[in-house]
């Protein structure tokens, strides 16, 4: 798990892009599995909107993690000084 966290920490944009692409794929797969009356273009628009919402949530989480990581490293510097 630590190796995964370090990889994500080093490759933030790649991780967010992978989440976005998998969200589009999952949303398209979910919407096309049933008999839907929606046109394919409308299904694609909905998939894009779902993936954008998930990407915003991931970006917010990444920002919170970055802030937490930065504040803990600053506290360590103060206690070591």
């Amino acid at each position: 798990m630590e190796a995964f966290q370090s990889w994500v920490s080093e490759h933030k944009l790649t991780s967010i892009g992978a989440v976005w692409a998998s969200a589009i794929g999952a949303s398209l797969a979910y919407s096309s599995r049933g008999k839907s009356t929606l046109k394919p273009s409308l299904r694609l628009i909905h998939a894009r909107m779902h993936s954008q919402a998930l990407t915003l949530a991931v970006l917010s989480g990444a920002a919170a993690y970055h802030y937490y990581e930065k504040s803990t490293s600053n506290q360590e510097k103060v206690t070591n000084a």
Side-chain angles (χ1 to χ4, degrees):
M1 188 65 170
E2 189 173 316
F4 178 73
Q5 287 177 342
S6 67
W7 186 88
V8 169
S9 180
E10 292 174 14
H11 302 91
K12 289 179 180 82
L13 291 178
T14 303
S15 303
I16 292 169
V19 167
W20 178 81
S22 62
I24 280 195
S27 183
L28 281 174
Y30 180 76
S31 68
S32 66
R33 73 181 175 109
K35 293 288 182 186
S36 178
T37 59
L38 298 176
K39 293 180 182 178
S41 60
L42 193 57
R43 278 188 266 171
L44 183 62
I45 290 170
H46 284 199
R48 184 184 58 83
M49 289 173 50
H50 294 148
S51 65
Q52 281 180 332
L54 181 62
T55 303
L56 282 174
V58 169
L59 280 171
S60 299
Y65 177 73
H66 179 73
Y67 176 76
Y68 172 76
E69 194 176 57
K70 195 170 217 176
S71 68
T72 56
S73 69
N74 286 341
Q75 287 177 356
E76 288 176 2
K77 288 178 184 178
V78 170
T79 57
N80 289 337

